[in-house]
Structure formats: structure tokens, C-alpha cells
Amino acid sequence: MRKLLESEGTTFTEFVRGRRLVEAWRKLTDPALAGRTITALALEVGFADLSYFNRCFRRQFGASPGEIRAASRSRK
């Protein structure tokens, strides 16, 4: 697995973190989960530290989890 990911230019840790962030994005924009807190969603996808989650999320998507949630609500 490590060699496969290495050939793609990533590490296992980066791969897992990326998948978790994509799942967090999906949950943040899901109207059925609008009542769940960002903290609860971050924990569900595997982030135990909210500050770390927020930093990683912003680095990946260029916006905070709260901004993404607010934008998805305003599109409706």
C-alpha cells in the first residue's frame, strides 16, 4: 500500500486525512445533518482535535468548515 501511494506522490497518512476531509465536506453540506455540530462531524470522520481539523480543512478546501456549511445553506 505504501509503495502504491508513494508512486502517487502521497503518504498513507495524507491519503487517510484527505479521505476524512472529503467525508467531512460531504457531511457539512448534507441538509439531513444540518443539526449536527461541526465538532460532532469532525469526530465522526476521525479527527480528535478540532483545531487540527479546522487547519487541515482550510488547507484542503480554502475555507473553514463553518464557511462551507453556511455556503451550502445559502444555496437552498
Side-chain angles (χ1 to χ4, degrees), residues 21-66:
L21 289 167
V22 167
E23 181 64 11
W25 175 289
R26 188 194 67 73
K27 288 178 178 260
L28 287 165
T29 58
D30 183 344
L33 300 175
R36 305 291 309 278
T37 66
I38 291 172
T39 301
L41 297 177
L43 290 171
E44 283 178 20
V45 299
F47 287 91
D49 181 333
L50 188 60
S51 292
Y52 179 66
F53 168 70
N54 284 321
R55 280 193 311 276
C56 291
F57 194 94
R58 184 178 291 278
R59 195 175 313 129
Q60 176 94 7
F61 301 114
S64 72

